[in-house]
Amino acid sequence: IVAQHNGFIDVSSMPGVGSTFDIYLPNLDMDIRFSSEKPEGDIYYGNGQQVLIVEDELALREALAEVIGQWQYDVLQAENGEQAVALMSELGSNVDLIVTDLVMPKMGGTAFVKALRQKGWETPILVMSGHPLDSDEDILKRSGVFGILSKPLNPIQLSKAIFNALN
């Protein structure tokens, strides 16, 4: 990811002391203004539909659950595809939408989507990724993924994508 943004990583390590990872990224040449104003656009709200978030990074998963919950959705969480398949086996058709990361341990997003479709579940799926998709994008689209979102997520775009996938 660092290299994709024209950066590099410097690593130094000493036995018994520890390791230091310095990440260098190029300066962003733009005028940045901070504002407490609400971003332009409207948040789309749900009506109690059940949304399963599949994300291995705990802090991001909990933040997504909190935000999506504030938008009037009932939120479930899983930390990888294996856990999500088990949860779907329990709840099945009660899950109205799945929002999943693409790169996860144990069972990543592409394998997770394939597993769901092989089991006959047609639940709408939104995929999130901070990585270029390359060949995965075609596989995901053929598997009936409703949309692909780039990280970092824009709250307004996320709320609209969830609303559209459910409607």
Side-chain angles (χ1 to χ4, degrees), residues 31-45:
D31 183 22
I32 299 176
R33 295 189 180 122
F34 295 96
S35 171
S36 60
E37 293 178 24
K38 181 182 173 202
E40 286 186 33
D42 292 320
I43 296 293
Y44 292 75
Y45 289 86

Side-chain angles (χ1 to χ4, degrees), residues 86-159:
L87 196 55
M88 288 295 292
S89 294
E90 275 181 48
L91 302 173
S93 62
N94 291 329
V95 175
D96 298 302
L97 175 68
I98 299 167
V99 179
T100 183
D101 189 15
L102 191 61
V103 179
M104 297 179 287
K106 295 190 180 180
M107 180 188 281
T110 303
F112 171 55
V113 169
K114 286 181 183 177
L116 289 178
R117 296 311 186 224
Q118 286 172 351
K119 291 182 180 286
W121 289 314
E122 295 298 323
T123 307
I125 300 171
L126 292 172
V127 171
M128 311 173 286
S129 181
H131 304 279
L133 294 179
D134 300 327
S135 62
D136 282 343
E137 186 170 3
D138 290 336
I139 294 168
L140 292 168
K141 287 181 179 177
R142 284 194 309 267
S143 297
V145 166
F146 185 83
I148 300 171
L149 305 167
S150 295
K151 291 180 182 178
L153 300 170
N154 172 304
I156 293 169
Q157 290 173 343
L158 176 61
S159 75

